[in-house]
Amino acid sequence: MKIFTARAKRGRLKYHEEHIKYTLDGADAYNWRKIQNEITSCTDLSLPEELEFITSKISFKNLDKIHWLKSEFRIPILSNEFIRILKEFNDVKFQEFPIIIKDSKNDSNVNHNFSGVYIDNYFDCINTELSESVSYTEKIQYDYRTCKFKSDLSYPTLFKIKNASTPFMHFVDEKGMEKLSKYGITDIDFKLISK
């Protein structure tokens, strides 16, 4: 059973293009700590229905070639094409937050081709009998880099791991990685964590 971490590819864009700062439309009452707690406990997010990123740090001409946008945001920002493919697979449950990306230096540069994706449940795939727990908080957790995974399950294409030491990391198994590659979703950093 091979499990990989999955995240936005690093190094594809120039350094200044990769580091997107964000603001959210109507965000006066926005509290990121509250959102992090909601992600950790898998509850509905207190986000506006549509998110607005205003940046001067990204090249708009390259934007539509990217499937997973690197950012400081805690939920993945995926291209709408990537999201359409995930919906086709029909094995990942998620909430979708449409995103508008605007260029702070040029009003004509606007992009509507991305959405935030919040997988609102964790996949129970750690073999707790063969894995050693770690204590980062009061909850029983497992280090995703050293734990053993169940091999008798059908894994979703993209998932978060129940009781893993990080609630924000996303994962794929070998079949999920092959499916994404077959559909042309190749600009993702995959790192093997188990064999």
Side-chain angles (χ1 to χ4, degrees):
M1 169 58 55
K2 292 185 178 179
I3 304 290
F4 302 80
T5 57
R7 65 181 190 175
K9 193 164 216 59
R10 272 47 176 171
R12 178 154 184 204
L13 299 175
K14 294 177 184 173
Y15 180 83
H16 71 278
E17 292 174 333
E18 287 186 341
H19 290 271
I20 298 170
K21 305 296 179 187
Y22 61 86
T23 60
L24 296 177
D25 190 30
D28 292 342
Y30 179 73
N31 181 333
W32 188 238
R33 286 181 189 223
K34 181 179 179 184
I35 302 301
Q36 288 188 157
N37 289 337
E38 290 167 351
I39 291 171
T40 302
S41 59
C42 272
T43 58
D44 287 341
L45 300 185
S46 304
L47 287 174
E49 286 184 18
E50 187 171 64
L51 306 177
E52 184 175 88
F53 285 50
I54 302 172
T55 181
S56 63
K57 301 187 178 207
I58 193 160
S59 170
F60 277 74
K61 68 178 181 176
N62 294 324
L63 206 48
D64 289 336
K65 297 177 183 175
I66 300 169
H67 290 115
W68 191 327
L69 194 58
K70 182 178 175 184
S71 74
E72 296 175 351
F73 210 52
R74 284 294 200 190
I75 60 176
I77 299 175
L78 306 181
S79 70
N80 292 333
E81 177 191 2
F82 189 170
I83 293 167
R84 179 190 56 75
I85 290 167
L86 284 179
K87 287 178 180 176
E88 238 178 78
F89 293 153
N90 199 29
D91 62 359
V92 182
K93 293 183 180 179
F94 57 87
Q95 295 176 37
E96 195 175 338
F97 296 89
I99 289 175
I100 300 171
I101 302 173
K102 295 181 178 178
D103 188 340
S104 64
K105 295 180 179 176
N106 183 344
D107 290 343
S108 64
N109 283 337
V110 178
N111 188 295
H112 296 272
N113 295 328
F114 291 89
S115 295
V117 168
Y118 171 51
I119 297 176
D120 55 7
N121 60 349
Y122 289 96
F123 188 57
D124 187 4
C125 59
I126 294 176
N127 186 331
T128 56
E129 292 177 8
L130 299 177
S131 301
E132 192 174 321
S133 64
V134 293
S135 56
Y136 294 118
T137 64
E138 294 175 8
K139 295 191 294 185
I140 293 176
Q141 294 181 313
Y142 297 87
D143 186 333
Y144 69 89
R145 295 164 296 198
T146 59
C147 65
K148 304 296 180 196
F149 294 95
K150 297 175 184 175
S151 58
D152 57 345
L153 298 174
S154 178
Y155 282 72
T157 306
L158 185 67
F159 58 94
K160 297 190 297 186
I161 297 174
K162 183 177 181 179
N163 297 324
S165 53
T166 174
F168 306 113
M169 186 71 73
H170 291 77
F171 301 87
V172 297
D173 71 348
E174 193 169 19
K175 288 180 184 175
M177 188 174 68
E178 288 170 1
K179 277 199 306 189
L180 291 173
S181 295
K182 182 181 173 186
Y183 277 75
I185 308 297
T186 56
D187 59 346
I188 298 174
D189 271 343
F190 296 111
K191 183 177 179 185
L192 181 65
I193 59 167
S194 74
K195 295 180 183 180

